[in-house]
Amino acid sequence: MTAMLRISGVRTFYGHIEALKGVDVEVAEGEIVTIIGANGAGKSTLLMTICGSPQARDGSVVFEGQEITRQPTFEIMRKGIAQAPEGRRIFPRMSVIENLKMGAITSDPKYFDEDVEKVFAIFPRLKERQAQRGGTLSGGEQQMLAIARALMSRPRLLLLDEPSLGLAPLIVKQIFQVIREINEQQKVTVLLVEQNANHALKLADRGYVMVNGRITLSGGGAELLANPEVRAAYLEGGHH
Amino acid sequence: MEYFTQQLINGLTLGSIYGLIAIGYTMVYGIIGMINFAHGDVYMIGAFQAMIVFLICGALGLTWVPLQLALMLIMAVIFTAAYGWSVERLAYRPLRGSPRLAPLISAIGMSIVLSNYVQLAQGPRPKPIPPVIRGGFQIMESDAGFVVQLGYLQIVIILLTVALMAIFAYLIAKTPLGRAQRACEQDMKMASLLGVNVDRTISLTFVMGAALAAVAGMMVTLYWGVNEFAMGFVAGIKAFTAAVLGGIGSLPGAMLGGILIGLIEAMWSAYFSTEYKDVAAFGILVLVLIFRPTGLLGRPEVEKV
Ligand SMILES: Nc1ncnc2c1ncn2[C@@H]1O[C@H](COP(=O)(O)OP(=O)(O)OP(=O)(O)O)[C@@H](O)[C@H]1O
Ligand SMILES: [Mg+2]
């Protein structure tokens, strides 16, 4: 199977700081792949590098056979990639509906109503709050909106950066369930960055462990979950 | 009472013009957080464009006034928008991401370049044109014989301004372009992550601001009948004051601020001193900055982000 997304030898810098030191990651169509790692490992940097902000200094990012390493962010995001980024980044002075319209900016307007109904079916909470301003939503609602907004562009590859961060256990469970649904029912490939290794590895087909800007381990989700090193570093004494 | 009414009309007319210019300041500030000090000069360019088109019409023997006005409007808007676009391209975009001071200095430089360029091209002396729209209604007369005039031109200015502001408010609130502009204003990086071409959106913001400034320039050309290369400076600072008074970054604020500044200026010259009329506007700028820096309609920051 050829990879939908192939990241090879990617090095990314912030000024002189090398945040990614030669990263190789592959995601095949239809998969859920997760990247776990400690704070500051470079997980968010990897997702942002895929989107060209910042761009990789070395190496390449290939999406559906097309080199996107040097393309401007807005062009990359028009190719079928969407991201719900770290910190959610909801537009605070726009309503829920307007945030969703922003998500749909690259897709044909004729799909808008249908797509809104779809994301409202996934997140009924957003439907109730559609006129509310993004900035006044609760953290969980903002996370739902961030995912919903990403879905509005009809992506084939969805990048999710710590969707469970700061949410109550019940909501976390819901969010992970939604990710599975999106993957299975809407056939969206998912690359998921998580601190919540337990949940993430259970959900994912495959996973990568990132330490200090490098991939140190990779394997099937269940395999990594059973790995003693992974257990020691990311699971025991951590989240359950 | 009659005198007051007359000043009210004059103030509203003036305020319309300031309001149109102020929108350009406030939109650019909203989206890239920068005061575009060259905006006043872009307005001056608009005034000259309108004047040149008028003179060309005269030379070609086109004397039908509605045609003259339409040509002035269209040509001034197109050419001035091109200037606005170029200013951003040349002077600001290369500096994106540098410290705030850099584009500010570049803006001041651009302002000097534009006014000197017009000084060279058009000469340093004020250039007059004959009145195009004359006459008006006499709406009141006092016992002492003071006649309150509402000029046709004043009506045109006020109505055109109201129409433009309505169109503009709609554009910003309801269209994809307006939404993209607001998105860039709130989180530029996120906007690009959703596929918004941020550079293009910023360019269009400059183009829109310049187009409105061109309309203001054309109105002033018709209203005062004289243009000179330095006219952008004072008008620019007054419109900037209007934008700050209304709450910089706020579109309705710019409109309100413009009208207030126009009224204050008219009343001040009527009841205090014409020579010092500019002092009124600048005094207000100082007072607003000291006592209410967010302006009348500026938003208090309360959201959690
Ligand atoms: N804009 C930036 N400028 C400078 N350094 C940065 C910037 N963003 C991230 N870094 C640095 O790059 C490294 C990787 O950061 P990154 O945000 O990718 O980590 P992460 O794995 O997502 O961490 P977390 O789990 O805490 O979100 C860190 O050392 C961080 O300090
Ligand atoms: Mg992160």
Side-chain angles (χ1 to χ4, degrees):
Chain A
M1 195 185 220
T2 57
M4 177 187 229
L5 178 74
R6 173 174 286 127
I7 298 163
S8 10
V10 159
R11 303 205 303 149
T12 301
F13 290 75
Y14 294 110
H16 294 294
I17 302 166
E18 189 173 6
L20 298 182
K21 302 167 181 165
V23 171
D24 302 294
V25 166
E26 284 195 9
V27 182
E29 191 169 345
E31 277 191 308
I32 300 182
V33 173
T34 187
I35 295 174
I36 58 173
N39 291 119
K43 306 179 299 294
S44 301
T45 304
L46 181 62
L47 291 193
M48 291 306 286
T49 302
I50 295 169
C51 302
S53 169
Q55 288 186 350
R57 192 175 294 178
D58 289 316
S60 73
V61 182
V62 176
F63 178 67
E64 294 180 336
Q66 195 181 8
E67 167 104 33
I68 56 170
T69 327
R70 296 274 171 274
Q71 299 210 356
T73 301
F74 76 90
E75 300 255 6
I76 295 173
M77 307 319 283
R78 288 166 184 224
K79 292 181 192 304
I81 302 180
Q83 184 176 173
E86 181 163 50
R88 291 131 194 186
R89 307 189 89 140
I90 296 306
F91 298 111
R93 294 185 297 283
M94 285 190 188
S95 67
V96 167
I97 271 289
E98 277 194 306
N99 269 280
L100 293 176
K101 282 188 180 159
M102 283 308 300
I105 206 152
T106 58
S107 53
D108 192 322
K110 74 176 182 212
Y111 295 127
F112 184 76
D113 292 332
E114 178 190 333
D115 289 354
V116 164
E117 282 315 311
K118 245 191 230 166
V119 299
F120 281 168
I122 302 175
F123 301 111
R125 188 69 161 266
L126 293 179
K127 185 169 191 173
E128 292 162 27
R129 311 212 156 242
Q130 51 183 300
Q132 190 173 329
R133 280 151 50 107
T136 61
L137 294 174
S138 78
E141 289 161 352
Q142 288 196 353
Q143 187 59 61
M144 293 172 196
L145 181 53
I147 297 174
R149 181 178 61 183
L151 287 174
M152 290 302 292
S153 68
R154 314 191 134 213
R156 293 185 295 284
L157 174 63
L158 177 62
L159 311 176
L160 297 173
D161 197 337
E162 301 204 39
S164 74
L165 188 72
L167 304 184
L170 200 67
I171 312 272
V172 172
K173 224 170 156 179
Q174 265 179 27
I175 296 268
F176 278 94
Q177 213 151 14
V178 161
I179 296 171
R180 166 159 289 148
E181 271 172 41
I182 292 168
N183 176 253
E184 284 173 359
Q185 289 163 22
Q186 305 191 25
K187 309 286 173 236
V188 178
T189 306
V190 177
L191 179 55
L192 168 71
V193 159
E194 259 301 335
Q195 294 270 344
N196 197 331
N198 186 32
H199 265 114
L201 289 173
K202 273 184 191 153
L203 174 74
D205 300 303
R206 294 188 302 113
Y208 292 86
V209 177
M210 192 175 220
V211 177
N212 248 327
R214 291 197 169 85
I215 301 293
T216 56
L217 259 181
S218 67
E223 186 189 330
L224 286 179
L225 205 53
N227 183 309
E229 270 176 71
V230 174
R231 294 203 74 82
Y234 304 106
L235 294 168
E236 265 118 46
H239 319 268
H240 289 280
Chain B
M1 187 58 212
E2 286 74 14
Y3 189 52
F4 178 83
T5 310
Q6 182 67 66
Q7 291 309 319
L8 200 65
I9 294 169
N10 296 348
L12 280 177
T13 312
L14 212 54
S16 299
I17 293 168
Y18 292 149
L20 286 179
I21 310 175
I23 291 174
Y25 279 105
T26 227
M27 284 184 59
V28 165
Y29 182 85
I31 200 160
I32 53 175
M34 172 204 143
I35 306 295
N36 176 14
F37 277 113
H39 188 58
D41 298 278
V42 169
Y43 148 82
M44 176 271 295
I45 297 258
F48 271 93
Q49 296 291 356
M51 190 188 75
I52 290 167
V53 173
F54 175 78
L55 294 176
I56 292 175
C57 282
L60 295 177
L62 301 172
T63 50
W64 191 47
V65 172
L67 179 66
Q68 285 181 337
L69 292 178
L71 283 175
M72 283 168 88
L73 185 69
I74 293 167
M75 299 312 264
V77 163
I78 291 174
F79 280 100
T80 312
Y83 274 93
W85 183 82
S86 314
V87 165
E88 192 270 336
R89 238 4 228 268
L90 293 174
Y92 307 146
R93 189 180 298 183
L95 296 173
R96 195 139 324 133
S98 41
R100 276 181 110 101
L101 200 56
L104 211 62
I105 292 169
S106 184
I108 294 170
M110 207 65 216
S111 158
I112 296 170
V113 167
L114 289 178
S115 62
N116 284 6
Y117 154 65
V118 173
Q119 184 179 10
L120 281 176
Q122 297 290 328
R125 272 190 302 214
K127 298 222 149 192
I129 62 163
V132 182
I133 303 179
R134 294 166 210 257
F137 300 108
Q138 303 193 346
I139 51 178
M140 266 193 228
E141 189 169 350
S142 73
D143 304 336
F146 180 84
V147 179
V148 180
Q149 286 269 1
L150 174 60
Y152 295 136
L153 179 58
Q154 290 179 315
I155 298 174
V156 170
I157 290 177
I158 293 169
L159 287 184
L160 187 55
T161 301
V162 169
L164 280 175
M165 286 180 173
I167 291 171
F168 228 68
Y170 173 81
L171 201 82
I172 299 292
K174 301 281 183 210
T175 66
L177 172 62
R179 211 157 24 239
Q181 284 177 315
R182 284 181 292 132
C184 289
E185 226 177 283
Q186 296 175 32
D187 188 341
M188 214 173 263
K189 193 162 191 177
M190 189 64 230
S192 72
L193 279 179
L194 294 171
V196 174
N197 184 343
V198 172
D199 280 335
R200 187 172 145 266
T201 308
I202 293 174
S203 282
L204 285 174
T205 306
F206 275 83
V207 163
M208 286 156 78
L212 290 183
V215 178
M218 170 190 161
M219 290 171 170
V220 145
T221 303
L222 296 172
Y223 196 53
W224 297 129
V226 220
N227 288 340
E228 52 146 350
F229 72 95
M231 66 193 277
F233 179 71
V234 172
I237 294 201
K238 282 183 190 159
F240 171 63
T241 305
V244 173
L245 174 62
I248 190 128
S250 152
L251 211 60
M255 303 170 186
L256 177 69
I259 289 175
L260 286 177
I261 293 290
L263 285 175
I264 289 166
E265 188 175 322
M267 295 303 167
W268 182 283
S269 9
Y271 295 104
F272 297 100
S273 133
T274 318
E275 281 87 64
Y276 288 102
K277 71 179 159 75
D278 295 344
V279 173
F282 303 147
I284 286 170
L285 178 59
V286 172
L287 290 178
V288 174
L289 287 176
I290 293 174
F291 293 107
R292 201 179 157 86
T294 55
L296 296 174
L297 302 184
R299 52 167 188 274
E301 300 289 338
V302 286
E303 292 104 359
K304 59 177 152 179
V305 186

